[in-house]
């Protein structure tokens, strides 16, 4: 097989940058959408917001209520449980729910319907649109940092949102910055589609080209569309703009279910998924990923670094940062002798980067270099004191969301910044 044949066996269509994998427009996969489509004779498709493995999300104008909405169109073979979970979490419950401000940080489902198309039956649901994910805001920045007051407020809201999800008996299962979005401002609905295009850019249509020169099947769109960018560089986000939505409940599950497989990205996946693969995940598995996400919010780079990393590489990062694994994990880790001595000293490589080193070179130095305020010694100590028990190797030793909310950093620094946003409503 030639390199060209191999390429064609992997790709049926010319890939388009920023666009979902076009091969997934097949029976069971994505539903083809065109700009201007009228869904339910009500939602006019204006632009694309994004895509995931199991859905594409579109910006539409709700012509009944004269506002913008996000319409998520699931693949025909996707599990409908996400809609059920979000509905369960956001529908009115008992008055005690009013004690959880985190409920306001979840996307309320405004409407649900289904579309029958060439690739099957697709569940669709409508929510308020969001500007961009926190990871997209960092990707749109050279600095890759949030202002210090914004970072505190984002972290506080994320803990409040997870606290509410856990209180309702669910584990999110996929916490990372790509699933934390910024809400659109109230003025957003007042833009006409023309003004929206003028401000953020009109959609660019790239023709979908079959590598064999064949005509496109009926289930494949004629054009690919890259998502609209409603964000701005992370350092430019102001405190009043720093209002989050915790999204993507496709991996979420009830604490009554026995689920042991994690699809969280490797850099924020809890270690028990590797060393105790048959043990059901629990609230504490979210806590590890939550700690990784909080670090990402305050730092320029992840705590555990590993672009395209292996499991062994990530375990090495964990030990470098946090110390020796529990004895039964340590003894079972086959690659341990290549990386560490029995007592945890690195072998055949430079001294490891400790927890403190990582704070200096990922948080403080990058802030200093661009003239941003630094975390002082007292706040740094409070951040460490909050995060360290969240990173306990044994899941049962990790903090709960309630304990995190009572930590010194949350009480003295993070929650007060969120209060300023709330009082501005």
């Amino acid at each position: 097989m030639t390199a060209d044949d191999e390429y064609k066996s992997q790709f049926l269509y010319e890939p388009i940058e920023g666009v979902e994998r076009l091969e997934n427009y097949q029976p069971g996969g994505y539903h083809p959408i065109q700009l201007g489509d009228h869904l339910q004779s009500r939602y006019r498709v204006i632009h694309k917001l994004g895509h995931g493995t199991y859905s594409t999300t579109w910006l539409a104008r709700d012509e009944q209520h004269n506002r913008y909405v996000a319409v998520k169109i699931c693949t025909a073979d996707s599990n409908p449980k996400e809609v059920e979970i979000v509905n369960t979490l956001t529908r009115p419950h008992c008055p005690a729910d009013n004690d959880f401000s985190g409920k306001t940080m979840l996307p309320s489902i405004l409407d649900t319907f289904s579309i029958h198309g060439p690739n099957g039956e697709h569940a669709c649901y409508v929510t308020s649109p969001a500007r961009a994910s926190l990871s997209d805001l960092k990707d749109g920045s050279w600095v890759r940092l949030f202002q210090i007051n914004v970072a505190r407020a984002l972290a506080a809201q994320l803990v409040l949102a997870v606290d509410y999800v856990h209180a309702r008996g669910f584990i999110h299962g996929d916490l990372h910055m790509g699933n934390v979005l910024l809400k659109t401002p109230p003025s957003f609905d007042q833009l006409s589609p023309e003004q929206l295009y003028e401000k953020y850019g009109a959609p660019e249509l790239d023709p979908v080209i079959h590598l064999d020169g064949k005509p496109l099947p009926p289930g494949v769109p004629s054009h690919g569309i890259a998502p609209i960018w409603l964000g701005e560089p992370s350092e430019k986000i102001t405190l009043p703009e720093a209002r989050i939505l915790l999204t993507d409940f496709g991996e979420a599950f009830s604490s009554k279910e026995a689920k042991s497989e994690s699809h969280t990205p490797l850099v924020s996946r809890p270690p028990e998924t590797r060393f105790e693969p048959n043990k059901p995940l629990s609230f504490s598995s979210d806590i590890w990923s939550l700690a990784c996400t909080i670090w990402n919010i305050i730092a320029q780079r992840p705590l555990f670094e590993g672009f395209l990393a292996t499991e062994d590489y990530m375990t090495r990062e964990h030990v470098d940062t946090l110390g020796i694994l529990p004895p039964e994990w340590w003894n079972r880790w086959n690659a341990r002798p290549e990386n560490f001595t029995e007592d945890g000293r690195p072998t055949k490589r430079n001294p490891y980067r400790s927890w403190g080193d990582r704070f200096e070179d990922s948080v403080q130095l990058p802030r200093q270099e661009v003239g941003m305020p630094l975390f002082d010694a007292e706040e740094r100590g409070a951040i460490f004191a909050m995060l360290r028990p969240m990173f306990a190797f044994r899941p049962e030793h990790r903090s709960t969301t309630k304990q995190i909310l009572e930590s010194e950093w949350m009480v003295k620094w993070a929650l007060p910044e969120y209060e300023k946003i709330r009082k501005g409503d």
Side-chain angles (χ1 to χ4, degrees), residues 225-302:
I225 303 167
I228 192 170
W229 168 247
L230 299 173
E232 55 189 323
S234 51
E235 72 276 11
K236 289 194 168 15
I237 300 298
T238 63
L239 190 62
E241 293 176 308
R243 298 147 55 90
I244 72 157
L245 279 174
L246 175 60
T247 61
D248 202 341
F249 285 79
E251 294 291 336
F253 57 99
S254 163
S255 58
K256 297 184 180 74
E257 289 176 52
K259 182 183 172 183
S260 54
E261 192 180 3
S262 171
H263 294 115
T264 309
L266 207 50
V267 289
S268 52
R269 191 179 299 170
E272 63 270 21
T273 63
R274 178 181 193 191
F275 290 103
E276 296 178 348
N278 300 319
K279 205 168 172 183
L281 299 171
S282 63
F283 299 115
S284 53
S285 61
D286 267 354
I287 299 297
W288 178 283
S289 303
L290 175 62
C292 291
T293 310
I294 290 172
W295 177 280
N296 264 352
I297 287 169
I298 65 173
Q300 188 184 63
R301 304 202 309 274

Side-chain angles (χ1 to χ4, degrees), residues 75-89:
T75 56
D77 61 5
S78 68
N79 189 330
K81 71 168 188 158
E82 180 178 9
V83 180
E84 293 162 20
I85 288 173
V86 176
N87 262 327
T88 301
L89 287 167

